[in-house]
Amino acid sequence: MTLYSVLVANSALQTVDCTGIAEITVRELKKLYPITESTPTQSWHLMDDDARVLHAADESAFENLNIFEWNNPPYDLGLYNEKPFVYGIEGNWGPQF
């Protein structure tokens, strides 16, 4: 069984993304992490420079608050909800959250 945190509403809500995860090009990623003795060759060094990837400065980004409009909500949510707007909530439910 999977647990989801969901907000539902009659009207659109503001989304929040405190993760710092951004979509950037491989070219930009190569500038951030050039090949050096401390940064060995990675699989994305072989990718096309114009390819777009998701980048986070570190793993803590996955713990930060993210409230997003859920265009493809979990299966059977319709059995519990009749409101037109569905939002997913992600992050670490710690004191800062």
Side-chain angles (χ1 to χ4, degrees), residues 22-76:
E23 185 177 309
I24 64 174
T25 63
V26 171
R27 180 179 290 107
E28 294 169 304
L29 195 59
K30 288 177 180 177
K31 288 178 186 175
L32 288 171
Y33 307 104
I35 299 172
T36 65
E37 287 183 26
S38 61
T39 308
T41 303
Q42 302 293 320
S43 58
W44 46 264
H45 281 107
L46 303 174
M47 294 173 64
D48 181 80
D49 282 348
D50 294 323
R52 301 192 66 77
V53 295
L54 293 177
H55 173 263
D58 58 52
E59 292 179 15
S60 68
F62 297 100
E63 298 176 357
N64 295 327
L65 178 64
N66 185 19
I67 300 175
F68 57 95
E69 188 168 2
W70 213 334
N71 297 320
N72 188 18
Y75 178 73
D76 281 349

Side-chain angles (χ1 to χ4, degrees), residues 72-91:
N72 188 18
Y75 178 73
D76 281 349
L77 181 63
L79 297 175
Y80 306 97
N81 170 54
E82 295 179 4
K83 299 193 184 289
F85 296 92
V86 179
Y87 297 85
I89 306 171
E90 296 177 334

